Amino acid sequence: MATADDGPRRRGRRPLDRQAIIDAALELIDENGIDGLTMRNLGRRLGVDPMAVYGHFEDKAALFEAVVDHETTRLAAVPGPLPDDPTEIIVRVGLHYRTVLLDHPNLAPQVAGRPLPQEVRAGPVTLSLDLFRAAGVADEDIPRVANALTRFALGFVVREAAEVAYWAGVDDADQLRRARLAERVDELDLRAAAHNLDPDQTVLDFELGLRALLHGLGTHRSHLPA
Amino acid sequence: MATADDGPRRRGRRPLDRQAIIDAALELIDENGIDGLTMRNLGRRLGVDPMAVYGHFEDKAALFEAVVDHETTRLAAVPGPLPDDPTEIIVRVGLHYRTVLLDHPNLAPQVAGRPLPQEVRAGPVTLSLDLFRAAGVADEDIPRVANALTRFALGFVVREAAEVAYWAGVDDADQLRRARLAERVDELDLRAAAHNLDPDQTVLDFELGLRALLHGLGTHRSHLPA
DNA sequence: ACCTGAACACCGTTCAAGT
DNA sequence: ACCTGAACACCGTTCAAGT
């Protein structure tokens, strides 16, 4: 058992390496959004002087980049076994992206706003040239098709995460904003706010959109007007 | 002519109403990103004591919400004349969304992460039930189709804006990060970084994706597996 | 009614000091 | 080698005071 007075959060239990700091940073971001990550909060959570973190990261920006990189890396780890059909593989990758981004919705915009090296090269599954070729995409269309799919998948989920956070009233410090939200919910009929907040519905929307996009991109060499 | 010593930025030239404050806030956000908007910077830009802003907005959060609302409202103002074909109207609305969001790329994630009342009701053009019905979408599919289109359009542009800002090195305080970026650019072949940074190419990607999505959504009642 | 400026409680970061 | 704590220059905001 730990002694009673070795710090507010039992410091020393974890030896304060980079991973322990990244994990604590993710906790703070999950709990209070991106602004919840402050060097002082981080020190308190780790049971350590705030300045101790500077021994492992040059500054807050470097720490934050490491946190985002940590999540970006997870995007490449698509769980198997995988289907044979290339189209189905692409759908699976898309659904996996969504799952990873929603694990830390407050960080989703940052993860999605960054290039994804792993989707190009490393990792067990990659959106590779060969995959798109196997799916029947002509070589010269691949960058465009890859762009459309990537931006659809990441953009969809970022907006999903942001909407959920917004309606939930992220920084619910003031009741006034909530009251205004309630009004707006009543205004919405077409958008069907309730529909948007149900994860079981949203994942279906996501898969529908992804398949429709794949189908639309695949059946026509170009949808652009002459 | 203004006298030489009436403040660092000729205060009094504009009477400091809400609109003048919102305009100055947008300037600061455009120049230095979301963090460039501070009450002290705002006061300096307006040639006024920072606390003067509190006479017009309750706090910084209220000011920021007003700025985002200002941009959200612009989304509804689709310039005419409009085509007759409902599908073409939807494409035009999407392209207009892209233009508005890219006017203030640093604010795009905030604008896109918010519900868009105007797209439902007010404004000269709305993504209305009637529009989707005219485009041949079955009533029960409309929420799902509207979701897919809205999230594709807004998500695409948010990611576009974020990627451009990222490669440009938004907060280019440190050269080290730029060096790392240069390495990464070399790594990318499939994603075709140069392609992604060319606005003339990106708008074609956007329109292609939007049309493919519309086509895919329209030709099949459901793309979901049984 | 609107603006000012000192003050307070935060923040990231520097630096000299401890072990 | 790693952690500490005082100090500095920022930040949003409160409040008493000016006009």
Side-chain angles (χ1 to χ4, degrees):
Chain A
M1 296 208 184
T3 55
D5 53 356
D6 56 349
R9 267 238 166 201
R10 260 168 301 146
R11 67 171 267 212
R13 188 55 165 274
R14 255 173 123 173
L16 192 60
D17 54 1
R18 286 172 64 95
Q19 190 58 50
I21 295 172
I22 288 173
D23 291 344
L26 275 171
E27 287 177 27
L28 292 175
I29 290 169
D30 287 344
E31 291 165 15
N32 295 309
I34 224 103
D35 293 338
L37 175 62
T38 72
M39 301 305 272
R40 285 169 160 90
N41 280 349
L42 197 54
R44 200 175 310 130
R45 171 61 53 98
L46 291 163
V48 101
D49 186 282
M51 288 310 302
V53 173
Y54 285 82
H56 301 269
F57 295 96
E58 191 178 342
D59 55 15
K60 192 189 177 186
L63 162 62
F64 191 71
E65 176 133 349
V67 172
V68 174
D69 273 2
H70 180 261
E71 288 307 297
T72 302
T73 302
R74 291 183 56 218
L75 288 175
V78 184
L82 292 170
D84 292 326
D85 180 34
T87 298
E88 294 305 315
I89 292 178
I90 293 173
V91 171
R92 282 281 289 275
V93 172
L95 287 168
H96 174 70
Y97 280 11
R98 179 174 176 274
T99 302
V100 170
L101 286 173
L102 291 183
D103 273 345
H104 302 287
N106 292 337
L107 199 62
Q110 308 292 333
V111 176
R114 213 143 292 208
L116 309 172
Q118 280 77 12
E119 91 188 325
V120 184
R121 294 197 174 263
V125 174
T126 62
L127 293 180
S128 66
L129 277 171
D130 288 343
L131 187 60
F132 285 112
R133 280 190 187 124
V137 182
D139 273 22
E140 64 266 36
D141 291 337
I142 288 181
R144 203 159 257 168
V145 169
N147 251 348
L149 287 171
T150 305
R151 289 194 164 133
F152 173 82
L154 296 175
F156 185 104
V157 179
V158 167
R159 187 155 162 83
E160 177 181 355
E163 281 181 355
V164 170
Y166 182 82
W167 292 113
V170 183
D171 50 334
D172 48 8
D174 45 342
Q175 297 292 84
L176 282 178
R177 202 175 296 171
R178 288 195 163 194
R180 241 179 301 158
L181 285 186
E183 287 170 29
R184 280 188 181 165
V185 170
D186 289 341
E187 281 176 24
L188 296 173
D189 36 292
L190 169 60
R191 301 283 316 291
H195 173 101
N196 284 354
L197 293 177
D198 179 357
D200 293 336
Q201 290 298 319
T202 311
V203 70
L204 289 180
D205 291 357
F206 180 80
E207 187 170 346
L208 170 71
L210 199 55
R211 289 184 184 279
L213 188 58
L214 271 166
H215 178 81
L217 290 168
T219 50
H220 293 274
R221 276 295 308 277
S222 175
H223 282 273
L224 296 176
Chain B
M1 296 204 184
T3 56
D5 54 355
D6 56 348
R9 267 240 165 199
R10 261 169 299 146
R11 67 174 267 211
R13 190 54 167 272
R14 250 171 126 177
L16 192 62
D17 55 1
R18 287 171 63 95
Q19 190 57 50
I21 295 171
I22 289 173
D23 291 344
L26 276 171
E27 286 177 27
L28 292 175
I29 291 170
D30 286 344
E31 290 165 17
N32 294 308
I34 222 103
D35 292 338
L37 174 62
T38 71
M39 301 306 271
R40 284 168 161 90
N41 281 348
L42 198 53
R44 199 174 311 127
R45 172 61 54 99
L46 292 163
V48 102
D49 187 282
M51 288 311 302
V53 174
Y54 285 83
H56 301 270
F57 295 97
E58 191 178 341
D59 55 16
K60 191 189 178 184
L63 162 63
F64 190 71
E65 175 131 351
V67 171
V68 174
D69 273 2
H70 180 260
E71 289 306 298
T72 303
T73 301
R74 290 182 55 216
L75 289 175
V78 184
L82 293 170
D84 291 327
D85 180 34
T87 298
E88 294 305 316
I89 292 178
I90 292 173
V91 171
R92 283 281 289 275
V93 172
L95 287 168
H96 173 71
Y97 280 11
R98 179 173 175 275
T99 301
V100 170
L101 286 173
L102 292 183
D103 273 345
H104 302 285
N106 293 336
L107 198 62
Q110 307 293 332
V111 176
R114 212 143 294 205
L116 309 172
Q118 281 77 10
E119 92 188 323
V120 186
R121 293 200 175 260
V125 175
T126 62
L127 293 180
S128 66
L129 277 170
D130 288 343
L131 187 60
F132 285 111
R133 281 189 187 124
V137 182
D139 272 22
E140 64 267 33
D141 291 337
I142 288 181
R144 203 158 257 167
V145 169
N147 251 347
L149 287 171
T150 304
R151 288 192 165 135
F152 173 82
L154 296 175
F156 185 103
V157 178
V158 167
R159 187 155 161 81
E160 179 182 354
E163 281 181 356
V164 171
Y166 183 82
W167 292 114
V170 183
D171 49 335
D172 48 6
D174 44 344
Q175 297 291 82
L176 282 178
R177 200 175 295 169
R178 288 197 161 191
R180 241 179 299 156
L181 285 185
E183 287 170 30
R184 280 188 181 165
V185 171
D186 288 342
E187 281 176 24
L188 297 173
D189 36 288
L190 169 61
R191 299 285 315 292
H195 173 101
N196 283 353
L197 293 178
D198 179 355
D200 292 336
Q201 290 299 318
T202 311
V203 69
L204 289 180
D205 290 357
F206 180 79
E207 187 169 346
L208 169 72
L210 200 54
R211 288 184 184 279
L213 187 58
L214 270 166
H215 179 81
L217 290 168
T219 50
H220 293 276
R221 277 293 308 277
S222 175
H223 283 272
L224 297 175

